[in-house]
């Protein structure tokens, strides 16, 4: 999975489940294409000026080393917003391959990307006492965003049913995006 962490670029006022952003990677990855990705999670950051992408291959690819793309920008609101990208063929596969070709042993590299958005409709589930979310594979991003939005209020019980092919994806997501929600 490729984890795109964006710090101090997207407005904290637009942090709402149900929104998505278009990701563009000009020039370096086959021209001008855009691809929609759902806002997965957000958190206060301890390091105020990092924008990074991390990639972890699943068990099928026989590697679990992280990859990252970073750049710095001045800090204003210290909120990191994350998008998860499941690499397949085409654009996402080329993005994964670009990260994996880095000469750095940690797969670090620089890559310019553009984000456009947010788009979509906010879906506010706070008026419900119980919410059941059913997701498959990388569709977990919607469940994560709703969990992060609902659990701090304490008024809504969230249940997530998630079907995946590889346990490494579950382990990675539970160690990162769902770390705080797991206890709830």
């Amino acid at each position: 999975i490729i984890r795109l962490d964006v710090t101090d670029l997207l407005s904290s006022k637009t942090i709402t489940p149900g929104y998505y952003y278009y990701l563009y990677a000009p020039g370096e990855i086959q021209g001008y294409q855009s691809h929609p990705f759902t806002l997965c999670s957000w958190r206060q950051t301890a390091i105020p000026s990092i924008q990074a992408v991390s990639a972890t291959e699943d068990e099928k690819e026989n590697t679990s080393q992280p990859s990252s793309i970073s750049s710095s920008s001045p800090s204003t609101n210290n909120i990191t917003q994350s998008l998860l990208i499941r690499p397949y063929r085409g654009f996402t596969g080329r993005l994964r391959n670009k990260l994996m070709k880095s000469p750095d042993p940690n797969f670090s590299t620089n890559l310019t990307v553009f984000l456009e958005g947010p788009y979509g409709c906010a879906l506010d589930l706070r008026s419900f006492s119980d919410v059941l979310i059913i997701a498959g594979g990388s569709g977990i991003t919607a469940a994560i965003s709703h969990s992060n939005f609902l659990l701090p209020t304490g008024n809504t019980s969230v249940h997530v049913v998630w079907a995946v092919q590889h346990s490494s994806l579950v382990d990675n997501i539970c160690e990162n995006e769902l770390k705080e929600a797991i206890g709830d």
Side-chain angles (χ1 to χ4, degrees):
I1 203 88
I2 299 171
R3 182 173 288 109
L4 173 64
D5 290 332
V6 181
T7 302
D8 292 335
L9 178 64
L10 306 174
S11 169
S12 62
K13 293 177 185 172
T14 61
I15 299 177
T16 307
Y19 284 156
Y20 61 94
Y21 295 84
Y22 281 99
L23 175 68
Y24 301 85
E28 294 183 57
I29 302 180
Q30 202 171 16
Y32 188 78
Q33 298 179 359
S34 65
H35 302 271
F37 296 100
T38 304
L39 177 63
C40 176
S41 62
W42 51 91
R43 65 192 178 283
Q44 290 293 120
T45 98
I47 303 171
S49 63
I50 300 296
Q51 298 173 13
V53 173
S54 300
T56 302
E57 284 297 293
D58 59 24
E59 294 165 344
K60 193 170 153 184
E61 299 292 330
N62 295 322
T63 181
S64 62
Q65 289 183 298
S67 301
S68 65
I69 301 171
S70 342
S71 66
S72 295
S73 65
S75 172
T76 56
N77 63 15
N78 297 337
I79 294 177
T80 296
Q81 298 167 337
S82 297
L83 305 159
L84 294 181
I85 301 168
R86 176 77 167 121
Y88 289 105
R89 295 179 183 176
F91 170 76
T92 57
R94 289 189 303 275
L95 180 59
R96 178 198 56 223
N97 294 341
K98 173 77 173 169
L99 292 170
M100 300 302 283
K101 287 181 183 177
S102 172
D104 186 301
N106 293 323
F107 301 118
S108 293
T109 188
N110 289 319
L111 179 65
T112 299
V113 296
F114 302 127
L115 284 175
E116 178 186 320
Y119 294 103
C121 300
L123 180 59
D124 190 351
L125 301 175
R126 291 180 290 186
S127 63
F128 298 96
S129 60
D130 292 291
V131 173
L132 171 64
I133 303 171
I134 301 172
S138 59
I140 192 65
T141 57
I144 294 168
S145 66
H146 282 288
S147 297
N148 286 340
F149 194 72
L150 294 171
L151 290 175
T153 67
N155 299 329
T156 303
S157 176
V158 180
H159 305 276
V160 177
V161 176
W162 183 23
V164 295
Q165 292 181 347
H166 303 285
S167 63
S168 61
L169 179 60
V170 174
D171 295 341
N172 187 298
I173 299 296
C174 287
E175 289 173 16
N176 292 288
E177 285 75 20
L178 287 175
K179 186 176 184 175
E180 293 178 26
I182 295 269
D184 290 328

